[in-house]
Amino acid sequence: MSRTVGLVVPAFRPDVDALSSYVRALHERLPVETIRIELDDPLPGTADALADCPATVNAVAARRGKGAAITAGFEALDADVLAFADADGSTPPTSIGAVLDSVLGGRAALGVGSRRHPDATVEAHQTLARRRLGDAFAWLARRLLAVSLTDYQCGAKAIDADAWRAVRDHLCEPGFAWDVELIALVDALGYRIEEVPVTWRDDPESTVSPLATASELAGALVRSRHRAKLIRGDRVHAAIATRTPTRVPLTDRLGADPTDD
């Protein structure tokens, strides 16, 4: 029996023409039943311009953050496998398909795309500063987390619905750090993760601030390690948890003011 696939594309102030073209390519080339665009704080006319895409468009007036947008999209989908692809189109449909195959083929519960894998193909590199910060973050993550990957932040991942149901209520990071939190907690819950080399092209128009994102990721990495240790029953981290504020899971914040945390 074939398994159904739902795909989320989180987008903040996207290039409408580029996003439309990307979504059409994803629809044409992948075994996806539903594509859902989660649109944050769109400019006037953006949602209407995307109306002809082969996708459901959910526009939210505020900026929720990448992680919150993907979580909302996953919660709205009814599929056996859930995936997301960043709206800038840096990862082509063929590579999204390879990530999906790792889950559809039963090799893993979470497929993680990787730009830094030895077999990955990078057609257009990031700036040197972005590459160095990315390398440093991956190096640090490998030393703090139990799961060792070459790339934790690539915008292409797929997860089995059973694994999603297990991890969903543990996820708290609303922004770019959601990726690393997902990986750390899926691993802590005992699910298999497979890293998949992708073809990748940097988006030179990216508005993501490398320094601000690096700061966000560093803090989230420590928090993700802590929550992974809690899931595994670590006594030291259980004691720490009694002395620190409890963060509200993203699933409990759906529909609330996105600026509240």
Side-chain angles (χ1 to χ4, degrees):
M1 181 176 178
S2 62
R3 304 173 74 193
T4 57
V5 177
L7 178 69
V8 171
V9 182
F12 170 69
R13 304 282 179 90
D15 179 317
V16 173
D17 291 338
L19 177 56
S20 296
S21 177
Y22 186 48
V23 169
R24 292 181 191 281
L26 292 168
H27 179 260
E28 291 170 1
R29 301 174 192 175
L30 297 178
V32 176
E33 280 68 31
T34 306
I35 299 177
R36 184 178 177 92
I37 300 173
E38 288 289 341
L39 193 60
D40 276 11
D41 192 20
L43 295 171
T46 298
D48 290 338
L50 293 170
D52 291 335
C53 282
T56 298
V57 179
N58 180 45
V60 177
R63 186 172 189 180
R64 295 169 292 179
K66 173 184 172 179
I70 297 171
T71 298
F74 280 7
E75 289 295 284
L77 293 174
D78 182 14
D80 299 316
V81 177
L82 305 168
F84 80 87
D86 281 354
D88 60 11
S90 294
T91 310
T94 52
S95 289
I96 302 295
V99 174
L100 278 170
D101 284 346
S102 70
V103 180
L104 290 171
R107 299 192 306 274
L110 175 64
V112 177
S114 174
R115 304 157 291 183
R116 293 183 169 84
H117 191 282
D119 295 329
T121 300
V122 178
E123 296 180 342
H125 286 277
Q126 295 173 303
T127 63
L128 182 61
R130 287 179 184 273
R131 292 207 305 273
R132 291 290 180 264
L133 284 171
D135 291 343
F137 175 78
W139 179 88
L140 183 60
R142 284 192 293 273
R143 280 147 184 83
L144 290 182
L145 302 181
V147 55
S148 181
L149 304 175
T150 61
D151 190 352
Y152 296 81
Q153 293 300 121
C154 178
K157 293 179 176 67
I159 186 169
D160 179 87
D162 288 340
W164 173 251
R165 284 188 286 270
V167 76
R168 59 189 289 277
D169 291 333
H170 294 284
L171 299 170
C172 301
E173 299 293 341
F176 291 105
W178 183 88
D179 294 70
V180 71
E181 180 185 44
L182 176 71
I183 291 168
L185 301 189
V186 166
D187 177 67
L189 288 164
Y191 289 94
R192 179 173 172 77
I193 298 172
E194 180 175 86
E195 191 168 26
V196 181
V198 300
T199 297
W200 190 79
R201 175 180 291 273
D202 181 52
D203 176 16
E205 302 300 322
S206 174
T207 58
V208 177
S209 167
L211 291 177
T213 302
S215 177
E216 174 189 344
L217 290 175
L221 184 54
V222 174
R223 293 190 295 270
S224 297
R225 181 178 186 271
H226 169 63
R227 286 200 287 277
K229 292 280 190 179
L230 284 177
I231 289 173
R232 290 191 172 94
D234 185 283
R235 293 183 179 181
V236 172
H237 284 267
I240 293 172
T242 64
R243 297 175 173 82
T244 56
T246 300
R247 299 190 75 191
V248 179
L250 291 171
T251 49
D252 288 348
R253 305 208 303 261
L254 295 178
D257 184 345
T259 62
D260 290 341
D261 190 1

